[in-house]
């Protein structure tokens, strides 16, 4: 076994690997860029080495710097995490040449699967189902149009070396191909250094399902069940779960055996994932096709860990050290259900635009065990030292292994309060993983835990994730990769709110107001005399809902209904309020907003105003302030680089016409005109850096 390993990554995955290594008694070396000098993974590791400036191309993507760091610290092996150098054949080969172990698959397997075109040919030859398409090089847009027409619309254009949702465009027509082909090439070149594009048939009503495989260097390969990854936005996964609500045991076996056959065909060992596109319209489950193989640890690996009891990072380390797998395919059992949501630095209320800046406040929800405290799944230990002792869950559904553990919550993160979410790297803040005996229990645990996040300083998608978890269609399991586009065609405005929730929010808001009134009543020498503490309040929520709240000792009466016990602890300045009203538990994030309060819970933020009955009556006569009209401006929705400006002063534009392209986090964002107008001025030019809300074009 290794005595010291280097983690060639950053953020939550670096913390995740360090946690497992520490539990195994292995010393760790962190690497960092200037932007990450104070990052958690640097503080967690036994040693750390600076790589270079913030841009990844000058730090995390420089293989020679990683190798130099290994030599300087005596690290015997490198775990690459995901992204960066994790799937670079040249990196694995360079480590091998330097006598440093690569905690991952062999270079030939990375090379074979890293090229999406060649990997599909290999999959086909190995007897794996493949999607109909064109796997050759496509040189021009005209050629792409002809090929797409031959395959039949809709088609998907993909960068050959792409991944992580980048370098992908869906085309329903010739015009879509003409608009998207060159952009796909540019994204592939910018993100992966390869501008080759291939085209394949787009499977309608598709589900994205992937098989986790694990192999050793002695020829043993197993599959560890599947993950459902169909909830995506712009081809970027948002929610993952294991197992899939769509997959039957027969499907699981067929998919798993094909995945193992592909892995065996390329001499694969370590952890890897075979991604499949599955037709949700085919109830037989036979319409599944190979998409790609990711020759690394996946972002969503925790859900597999939670249902199998395996620590995949530990298994990767043991395999790289030459150990055999300590179990066979027949011993793998799936226990319960696990769901993962990705908390991103993006604003769902503004079209999911990226958000960067300082985490003024970052408090994740309470967890049963944090990966920084030991890594891996939330069980005591996946395997004893040597990999021979099986976790009790792998022997079957052993009740003694569960005791009263009906739900578990886990947070994988790599950020800290006061730290910065940089424009240089992925916008992920954290991954929230829950486990339950049933799918419904795991989803309910997600909703509860999401309410417990307190994030300030940047935009985030916690409300959106909570709305997804509560959505009836998601809970039914009837999902496809088009779920978000279909269910939120006009964008996200918050989760729907029922009357019970607004009534409970009113009771909590009135309680908060009473606490502040009591504190104010203790102040001496007020000009208008002591402040009175009211037993009655009128609570008005945005949207027009209004409730009368009356307190009777420890009980609350809302709109004259039956009194209910209200149990809540609140002190002025407190942001998270946990309250029990009757038999309902509520966790609410509260923040002062002028004379009102912002209250966030269950996937929506509500502006709540608490008044005495007299003030409420007088407020009805107040004139409402109308916000200014900004429709005559095209405003930068995010910080980024203006790569293209398609209009000049005097040009006439129509609603929906592309006006500018802004690049942020290596993704191109096309900004379109909201209405027909004439360009009055263009204060900025292509090539300039933009700040959020900066005016790009003014219309007459």
């Amino acid at each position: 076994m290794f005595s010291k390993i280097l983690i060639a990554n950053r953020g939550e995955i670096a913390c995740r690997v360090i946690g497992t290594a520490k539990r195994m008694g292995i010393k760790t070396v962190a690497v960092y860029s200037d932007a990450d000098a104070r990052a958690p993974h640097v503080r967690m590791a036994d040693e750390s080495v600076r790589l270079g400036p913030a841009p990844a191309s000058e730090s995390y993507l420089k293989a020679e710097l990683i190798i130099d760091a290994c030599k300087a610290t005596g690290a015997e092996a490198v775990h690459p995490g995901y992204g960066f150098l994790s799937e670079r054949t040249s990196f694995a080969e360079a480590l091998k040449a330097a006598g440093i172990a690569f905690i991952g698959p062999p270079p030939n397997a990375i090379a074979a699967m890293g090229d999406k075109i060649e990997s599909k040919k290999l999959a086909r030859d190995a007897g794996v189902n493949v999607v109909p398409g064109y796997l050759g090089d496509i040189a021009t847009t005209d050629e792409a149009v002809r090929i797409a027409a031959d395959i039949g619309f809709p088609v998907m254009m993909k960068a050959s070396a792409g991944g992580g949702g980048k370098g992908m465009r869906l085309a329903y027509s010739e015009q879509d191909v003409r608009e998207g082909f060159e952009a796909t090439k540019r994204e592939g070149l910018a993100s992966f250094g390869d501008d080759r594009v291939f085209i394949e048939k787009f499977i309608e009503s598709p589900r994205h399902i992937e098989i986790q495989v694990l192999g050793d260097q002695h020829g043993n390969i197993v599959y560890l069940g599947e993950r459902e990854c169909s909830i995506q936005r712009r081809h970027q996964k948002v929610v993952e779960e294991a197992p899939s609500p769509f997959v039957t045991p027969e499907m699981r076996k067929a998919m798993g055996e094909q995945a193992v056959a592909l892995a065996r065909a390329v001499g694969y060992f370590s952890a890897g994932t075979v991604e499949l596109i599955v037709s949700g319209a085919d109830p037989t489950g036979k319409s599944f096709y190979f998409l790609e193989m990711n020759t690394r640890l996946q972002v969503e690996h925790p859900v597999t860990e939670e249902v199998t009891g395996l620590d995949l990072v530990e298994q990767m380390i043991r395999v790289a050290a030459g150990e055999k797998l300590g179990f066979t395919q027949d011993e793998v059992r799936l226990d319960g259900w696990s769901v993962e949501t990705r908390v991103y630095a993006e604003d769902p209320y503004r079209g999911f635009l990226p958000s960067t800046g300082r985490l003024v406040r970052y408090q994740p929800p309470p967890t049963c065990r944090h990966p920084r405290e030991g890594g891996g799944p939330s069980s005591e230990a996946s395997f004893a030292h040597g990999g021979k002792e099986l976790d009790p869950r792998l022997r079957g559904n052993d009740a003694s292994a569960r005791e009263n553990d009906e739900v578990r919550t886990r947070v994988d993160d790599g950020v800290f309060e006061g730290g910065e979410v940089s424009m240089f790297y992925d916008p992920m803040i954290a991954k929230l993983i829950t486990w339950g005996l049933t799918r419904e229990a795991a989803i309910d645990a997600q909703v509860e835990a999401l309410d417990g996040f307190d994030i300030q300083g940047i935009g985030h998608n916690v409300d959106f994730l909570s709305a997804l978890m509560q959505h009836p269609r998601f809970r039914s399991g009837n999902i496809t990769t088009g779920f978000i586009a279909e269910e939120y065609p006009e964008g996200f405005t918050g989760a729907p709110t029922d009357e019970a929730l607004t009534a409970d929010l009113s009771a909590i808001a009135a309680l908060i107001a009473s606490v502040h009134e009591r504190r104010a009543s203790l102040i001496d020498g007020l000009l208008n005399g002591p402040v009175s503490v009211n037993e009655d309040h009128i609570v008005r929520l945005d949207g027009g809902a209004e409730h009368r709240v009356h307190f009777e000792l420890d009980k609350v009466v809302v709109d004259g209904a039956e009194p209910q016990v209200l149990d809540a602890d609140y002190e002025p300045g407190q942001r998270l309020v946990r309250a029990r009203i009757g038999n309902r538990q509520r966790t609410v994030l509260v923040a002062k907003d002028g004379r009102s309060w912002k209250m966030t819970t269950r996937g929506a933020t509500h502006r709540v105003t608490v008044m005495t009955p007299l003030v409420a009556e007088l407020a009805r006569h107040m004139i409402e302030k109308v916000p200014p009209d900004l429709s005559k401006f095209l405003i930068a929705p995010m910080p980024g680089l203006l790569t293209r400006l398609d209009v000049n002063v005097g040009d006439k534009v129509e609603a929906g016409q592309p006006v500018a392209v802004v690049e942020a986090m290596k993704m191109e964002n096309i900004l379109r005109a909201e209405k027909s107008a004439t360009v009055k001025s263009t204060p900025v030019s292509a090539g300039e850096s933009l700040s959020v809300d900066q005016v790009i074009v003014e219309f007459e």
Side-chain angles (χ1 to χ4, degrees), residues 348-349 447 450-451 453 460-468 470 488 492-498 501-502 505 541-542 587-590 597-608:
Y349 294 100
V447 177
L450 287 165
D451 278 348
F453 270 104
H460 58 81
N461 66 338
V462 169
D463 280 1
F464 180 64
L465 296 175
S466 182
L468 290 177
Q470 298 173 71
Y488 300 95
F492 179 70
T493 56
T497 304
D498 57 30
L501 180 57
T502 61
L505 285 176
L541 289 83
D542 51 359
T587 301
V588 183
L589 184 67
V590 297
W597 296 88
K598 282 186 177 178
M599 305 183 71
T600 303
T601 188
R602 290 299 192 269
T605 300
H606 307 270
R607 194 167 184 270
V608 182

Side-chain angles (χ1 to χ4, degrees), residues 325-326 500 622 672:
L325 295 182
M622 298 296 290
R672 303 175 185 272

